[in-house]
Amino acid sequence: MIDIDQVRRDYLQGGLKYEDLAADPIDQFERWLQQAIDAGMEDPTAMTVATVNADGQPSQRIVLLKQVDRAGFVFYTNYESHKAQDIAVNPLVSLHFPWHALERQVKICGKAEKVSLTESLKYFSSRPEESQLAAWASAQSRPVSSRQLLMQQFNAMKDKFKQGKIPLPDFWGGYRIVPSSIEFWQGGAHRLHDRFQYTRTDSGWEIQRLAP
């Protein structure tokens, strides 16, 4: 057995004060995201997407955030994947950004909705050709007998579309998570972390400090 009960560190990079928060959580998120990018963090846009299936079983996976604005947080996937099947029966989703190097976390709760076909096409067309082909080749989340077979499927798609533009698959596109709450967590000494939660109300966003 690995002894891990004493694996810990203190968080000393600084606190988070109410008066330093932006009035809108999207502004606050973009500020932190830019700081994560400027700090040279690997995969600063990587986020955990948590969904729940029809049996109530939660599931998580890491995807990349591809757009954020006042409307919400956007990622792209196969619409026949496990996450898409979960969203079809329960569109309530949670996102999590673990910016360990900055001793920060952001948690977002909200509702998933498909982005428009135009948005999906625009993003798909901007992807590298190999990524476009991979979207066609991979039946995401379904069993595949070997990597060799996966590469055969990839090469078959490469040959199929070698003469022209690769079209958007009808089973592929984006989801926008429309947030109902966004929590910002900054590590603090003695485990007295700073946590602020924005909650959407009819009149705008309400901000509350949460106990660590």
Side-chain angles (χ1 to χ4, degrees):
M1 296 289 290
I2 302 175
D3 186 8
I4 60 173
D5 65 335
Q6 297 302 311
V7 177
R8 64 169 62 88
R9 65 185 176 94
D10 216 347
Y11 300 100
L12 303 173
Q13 291 197 30
L16 182 62
K17 300 178 181 178
Y18 180 90
E19 54 265 30
D20 294 332
L21 295 171
D24 189 291
I26 301 302
D27 293 335
Q28 182 64 34
F29 178 84
E30 290 184 328
R31 181 186 302 171
W32 272 22
L33 176 59
Q34 188 61 57
Q35 290 172 358
I37 294 170
D38 293 344
M41 286 184 56
E42 289 189 355
D43 299 322
T45 61
M47 61 183 183
T48 300
V49 178
T51 58
V52 178
N53 69 12
D55 297 324
Q57 173 63 57
S59 184
Q60 302 175 65
R61 73 289 290 165
I62 294 175
V63 303
L64 298 180
L65 176 70
K66 289 303 177 183
Q67 181 183 335
V68 57
D69 55 27
R70 291 287 186 274
F73 300 78
V74 176
F75 67 90
Y76 290 85
T77 189
N78 186 310
Y79 283 147
E80 297 174 356
S81 65
H82 283 170
K83 73 179 79 63
Q85 293 175 34
D86 289 355
I87 289 171
V89 297
N90 184 352
L92 299 181
V93 169
S94 181
L95 309 177
H96 179 254
F97 291 84
W99 291 325
H100 300 302
L102 300 178
E103 299 178 355
R104 291 174 174 174
Q105 303 178 58
V106 180
K107 183 181 74 173
I108 298 150
C109 293
K111 188 174 184 178
E113 57 183 35
K114 287 183 177 180
V115 305
S116 69
L117 181 61
T118 300
E119 289 176 278
S120 290
L121 179 57
K122 180 180 179 181
Y123 173 67
F124 184 81
S125 299
S126 75
R127 302 180 88 203
E129 181 178 293
E130 291 78 8
S131 296
Q132 295 180 23
L133 291 169
W136 277 99
S138 174
Q140 193 176 104
S141 300
R142 277 163 283 181
V144 60
S145 60
S146 67
R147 181 165 184 87
Q148 181 181 8
L149 177 59
L150 184 62
M151 292 308 301
Q152 288 175 355
Q153 293 168 343
F154 178 84
N155 290 328
M157 292 299 105
K158 189 173 183 178
D159 184 64
K160 179 178 180 179
F161 297 120
K162 65 182 178 182
Q163 298 299 330
K165 187 175 180 181
I166 302 170
L168 172 70
D170 59 5
F171 53 81
W172 195 96
Y175 284 104
R176 175 174 286 106
I177 309 304
V178 181
S180 56
S181 69
I182 304 179
E183 180 188 328
F184 295 86
W185 183 102
Q186 177 74 61
H190 317 304
R191 295 299 186 267
L192 297 176
H193 314 302
D194 290 308
R195 298 172 60 191
F196 288 95
Q197 180 175 276
Y198 292 73
T199 303
R200 191 190 293 274
T201 70
D202 292 339
S203 57
W205 291 97
E206 177 184 278
I207 307 175
Q208 291 180 309
R209 177 184 276 275
L210 304 179

